[in-house]
Amino acid sequence: MHPAAWWVWAAGVVVLAGRIHAPQALAALAVAACVLATAGRRQGAPSFAGYVALALGIVTVRVVFHVLVGIKTPTGRVLVDLPSWHPAWAPGVQLLGPVTTTGLGTAAAQGLALAVMVLAVGAAATASSPARLLRSLPAALHHLATAAVIAVGVAPSLVAAVAAARRARRLRGLTTRGPRAIAHAAVPVLADALDRALDLAASMEVRGYARRSGPGDRRVGPALAGAVLAAAVGTYGLLAGAPAYAVPALSLGAALAVAGASLAARGQARTRYREDPWGYREWCAAGAGAMTGVAGVAGLPLLATAIALLGLLALLPARLPAEVSV
């Protein structure tokens, strides 16, 4: 399965999660991401449990902040009537106060939306390799994508280092809980992170990373500067409610960005070994992700959710033959 198909589907789910507020649709997307990560987990991938724990933590923190300092809605049944406090040093802020079903549900839905984004990205990172995706990107985005891949791999590396430190302490008969255990495990974890960073720097150095293979095109800078300026003008037009010049400005910015990327890619020589195929299954999954994002932006949450769930059917068979053969 081409890695870009997984990430396009995840990007569509992320866009949809930021546009809808229905708890049922968000819960369905969260379950779909968990099913995809469980069934499509590649060999050697980081554990998906960390993403689940982070998602649950986000929902919990959002609900706790609503109870402590959130804006209380007068509608709904009062669950807990806490005493309210209006501090003089923070005008307009209310601490505690009555907790209603409507306010609590709204806070939980907002936290669940962010949790769905985390689960979608975690499912794509678990099912596909970011390094494989790096090979499929244009040459102009190679350096930026390399930095993004390294950043995505930091969290799994730290989780693996923490697990190794805990395992070593258990083998020595030492406790793995408490502040003292955490303090003693911090040094091996930091040392392992430093070793990984040095190994990565050495491997990038011997491969000639960030070295120009030819003279750069002088038209790249003006094209990218014009793209940024046009995007800023178009974004301001959308926020100001003036689509008459916002849409042309955004279109011009996208055209200049594509032109600048094409000019920058001419001076970089890259070779690919054993390219990943792109077939009908990848088209179905990527198309479902793209339509999910478009339908979410257009304000069609039910249709976008249905498309995202249908796209899951195209992604799941990618790992089923390997699971059955094992």
Side-chain angles (χ1 to χ4, degrees), residues 22-250:
Q24 297 83 357
L26 292 172
L29 293 176
V31 172
C34 293
V35 171
L36 176 62
T38 303
R41 185 176 185 272
R42 58 184 171 85
Q43 185 177 4
S47 176
F48 188 69
Y51 295 99
V52 175
L54 179 59
L56 293 177
I58 289 173
V59 177
T60 303
V61 170
R62 181 64 185 88
V63 172
V64 170
F65 266 86
H66 170 74
V67 174
L68 295 178
V69 296
I71 299 176
K72 305 301 187 296
T73 55
T75 59
R77 186 168 61 91
V78 178
L79 296 177
V80 181
D81 192 3
L82 300 174
S84 60
W85 177 39
H86 299 270
W89 47 267
V93 176
Q94 175 185 341
L95 301 180
L96 300 179
V99 180
T100 61
T101 55
T102 303
L104 202 63
T106 303
Q110 293 174 353
L112 185 58
L114 186 55
V116 168
M117 299 180 187
V118 173
L119 292 176
V121 173
T126 304
S128 64
S129 173
R132 285 180 56 200
L133 179 63
L134 180 62
R135 299 185 305 179
S136 305
L137 294 177
L141 301 177
H142 179 69
H143 298 316
L144 181 62
T146 302
V149 169
I150 294 174
V152 170
V154 168
S157 300
L158 288 179
V159 172
V162 171
R166 290 169 59 88
R167 190 182 307 111
R169 289 186 62 84
R170 283 197 301 267
L171 291 175
R172 292 180 175 90
L174 302 175
T175 180
T176 58
R177 296 181 179 180
R180 181 175 297 181
I182 296 176
H184 289 173
V187 175
V189 170
L190 293 177
D192 182 77
L194 183 59
D195 292 339
R196 291 175 183 269
L198 293 176
D199 293 340
L200 179 61
S203 63
M204 295 171 68
E205 177 66 22
V206 298
R207 288 176 173 83
Y209 175 74
R211 294 179 181 174
R212 288 185 175 273
S213 55
D217 197 319
R218 296 182 178 180
R219 295 172 293 178
V220 175
L224 295 182
V228 172
L229 180 60
V233 173
T235 304
Y236 177 79
L238 290 178
L239 296 177
Y245 69 88
V247 175
L250 290 175

Side-chain angles (χ1 to χ4, degrees), residues 140 217 219-225 227 253-266:
D217 197 319
R219 295 172 293 178
V220 175
L224 295 182
L256 289 176
V258 172
S262 301
L263 292 175
R266 291 181 180 179

